[in-house]
Amino acid sequence: MRMLRRLLPVSNLGLALWAWRNRATVLDWAAFGLRAAGDVIEGKGLGDARAEARLRLALARHGTTRRAAIDVAVEDGTARIEGRVPPEVHARVQDIVAATPGISRLDDRLALLAPRRRFRLRAA
């Protein structure tokens, strides 16, 4: 905690509020870390963990995919993506996966959401 306090000039309360607000992302990254540590202990190496970290960071960097609820896992060079996204986000996710080093195949389990309908108010 002391190391984190040196790197981030925020109070404990501020850090706790940020962690609570972003708890889904924090838990997702923690699960990834535990899974990657388990792979290293089992002797599988870091190749898949590096590829998954690159993919997760690329998805987090892009504005349209950052807010999407997408589960990511990489095993034996195959990226498995799951969730529900709009069609335009789905296409962008596929592009990002294809451009990520260390990923050779894509297991696409994303479900498409119906496009949002826009309603117009009519003048009386």
Side-chain angles (χ1 to χ4, degrees):
M1 188 67 167
R2 287 183 184 183
M3 185 175 175
L4 189 59
R5 294 272 300 148
R6 287 183 194 162
L7 294 174
L8 300 173
V10 294
S11 67
N12 287 341
L13 179 61
L15 187 59
L17 288 173
W18 177 88
W20 180 255
R21 242 182 263 141
N22 297 290
R23 63 189 174 273
T25 304
V26 170
L27 290 173
D28 194 33
W29 275 97
F32 160 67
L34 291 173
R35 194 170 57 249
D39 287 349
V40 170
I41 290 170
E42 291 174 6
K44 293 181 182 178
L46 287 174
D48 287 338
R50 284 186 185 130
E52 186 173 337
R54 287 182 188 125
L55 179 56
R56 286 173 174 276
L57 288 171
L59 290 171
R61 264 188 244 126
H62 197 275
T64 58
T65 60
R66 179 181 306 133
R67 292 176 292 279
I70 301 172
D71 293 327
V72 176
V74 176
E75 188 173 330
D76 298 327
T78 301
R80 186 185 77 242
I81 54 174
E82 298 180 52
R84 295 176 51 129
V85 296
E88 62 276 2
V89 173
H90 184 254
R92 185 64 186 147
V93 168
Q94 288 179 329
D95 293 342
I96 291 172
V97 171
T100 303
I103 297 177
S104 56
R105 290 183 20 170
L106 171 61
D107 180 8
D108 188 351
R109 299 179 184 185
L110 289 175
L112 295 179
L113 293 172
R116 291 184 180 173
R117 294 176 54 188
R118 294 184 183 196
F119 296 99
R120 292 186 182 181
L121 297 176
R122 294 182 187 173

